[in-house]
Amino acid sequence: MTVPDRPGDVWDQRVAAGLAFLRRRLAGEYEVDEFGFDPELTEGVFLPVLRALYREWFRTEVSGIEHLPVDGAGLVVGNHSGTVALDAAVLTAILHDEHPRHRHLRLLSADLVFRLPFLSELTRKFGGTVACNPDAERLLGGGELVGVFPEGFKGVGKPYSQRYKLQRFGRGGFVSAAIRTGSPIVPVAIVGAEETYPMLANIAPLARILGLPYFPVTPTFPWLGPLGLVPLPSKWLIEFCPPIPTTQFADHADDPLVVFNLADQVRETIQQALHRLLDRRPDPFGR
């Protein structure tokens, strides 16, 4: 006969697990990879917070998870928005939770992130690295799922009036990395992030003084001070689109025309998916 755990037993187990976690951290008994990724910290600290955020606050619905590779490399390419790059972190948590193998998404992040001491360390612990072709190819060559947002700050920092209109995808370096490693490209469309911190204006002079790409004015920031950093509870829809194979372009990784055409195909796939998702979600703050 199995005796069910009593509430006190459950809390005892949680406290014991938490103390064991702290002991390992203080003793340095944990592993990080060559990029600084810390799986234990990610799964024990970062993901639970993000899980509560995307499930309870954003009420996120996910579709198309079957389009992600079960094993091996894949390049996940998404639209970027929302003033604060919550979409990247949320996508990482969702992919880990929904993927049948609970895989980690290794994010490629802008140089600015790694010039900020605390944020740089946090990003590497979470699995991120610099958005450059050598790092992307090393991760893909190692069979990882890699996430990239080619719009960069142009997407995150665009005004709310331009919501869900994809910005330029840069020079298509992500396509070259995928071709060189033979990795499929999985476009992903994210609806909901645009409404979390709607950017009404950008105080450009202040941004230049602070060395930032923009200084946002939103309905709640800077008017409410720290409370203005709380994201609005918009409804999120995320769709992983069918993968785009790259093996047929193996000899054309340095061909600008091939790279541009493939990048444009990815961009158009995401844009069309955004239109479909917006039709499904007429109310940004509905259930």
Side-chain angles (χ1 to χ4, degrees):
M1 176 179 177
T2 302
V3 179
D5 287 335
R6 293 171 299 180
D9 295 333
V10 173
W11 280 107
D12 287 346
Q13 292 168 10
R14 291 178 179 175
V15 170
L19 291 174
F21 174 81
L22 289 175
R23 183 190 61 77
R24 289 194 300 273
R25 305 306 298 185
L26 292 173
E29 297 174 356
Y30 58 91
E31 295 182 358
V32 299
D33 70 7
E34 59 181 310
F35 294 94
F37 176 46
D38 188 333
E40 183 184 56
L41 188 64
T42 296
E43 294 177 13
V45 177
F46 300 147
L47 291 184
V49 174
L50 291 168
R51 188 172 296 126
L53 187 65
Y54 81 75
R55 288 181 180 174
E56 306 300 329
W57 193 247
F58 295 140
R59 310 170 306 286
T60 308
E61 295 180 17
V62 182
S63 60
I65 202 77
E66 68 276 5
H67 295 310
L68 290 165
V70 175
D71 295 297
L75 185 65
V76 180
V77 182
N79 58 299
H80 217 11
S81 64
T83 307
V84 176
L86 274 181
D87 49 7
V90 165
L91 184 66
T92 300
I94 286 175
L95 191 149
H96 175 270
D97 288 354
E98 299 292 330
H99 193 282
R101 298 286 179 86
H102 301 295
R103 300 186 65 183
H104 290 286
L105 183 66
R106 308 298 299 274
L107 294 173
L108 302 179
S109 303
D111 291 350
L112 175 63
V113 173
F114 297 98
R115 294 202 297 269
L116 304 173
F118 177 73
L119 188 57
S120 172
E121 182 69 13
L122 202 65
T123 301
R124 290 203 177 276
K125 292 285 188 183
F126 192 53
T129 189
V130 180
C132 64
N133 272 31
D135 280 9
E137 290 175 24
R138 283 165 63 200
L139 285 167
L140 290 169
E144 299 282 359
L145 283 178
V146 177
V148 64
F149 296 84
E151 294 172 281
F153 287 120
K154 298 188 302 294
V156 182
K158 67 178 181 290
Y160 187 63
S161 61
Q162 296 295 311
R163 60 192 178 278
Y164 299 115
K165 296 179 182 179
L166 288 181
Q167 305 300 296
R168 189 172 60 87
F169 264 22
R171 295 188 295 272
F174 69 96
V175 170
S176 298
I179 292 175
R180 286 195 176 91
T181 56
S183 306
I185 299 174
V186 182
V188 58
I190 303 171
V191 161
E194 296 276 18
E195 291 86 14
T196 54
Y197 302 99
M199 185 187 291
L200 305 179
N202 171 28
I203 307 177
L206 186 55
R208 285 194 293 271
I209 292 172
L210 297 174
L212 300 174
Y214 52 85
F215 188 90
V217 175
T218 76
T220 59
F221 182 84
W223 326 113
L224 299 183
L227 283 177
L229 299 177
V230 176
L232 297 178
S234 55
K235 170 72 174 180
W236 285 40
L237 301 176
I238 295 179
E239 178 182 332
F240 294 92
C241 303
I244 299 172
T246 63
T247 51
Q248 68 269 38
F249 305 113
D251 297 327
H252 302 282
D254 296 315
D255 186 329
L257 184 60
V258 170
V259 169
F260 174 81
N261 286 338
L262 195 50
D264 194 54
Q265 180 184 351
V266 174
R267 185 179 182 277
E268 184 61 24
T269 299
I270 296 172
Q271 186 67 77
Q272 292 303 316
L274 289 174
H275 292 322
R276 290 195 303 272
L277 294 177
L278 288 169
D279 286 341
R280 282 177 48 198
R281 192 209 64 163
D283 180 1
F285 297 98
R287 292 298 301 179

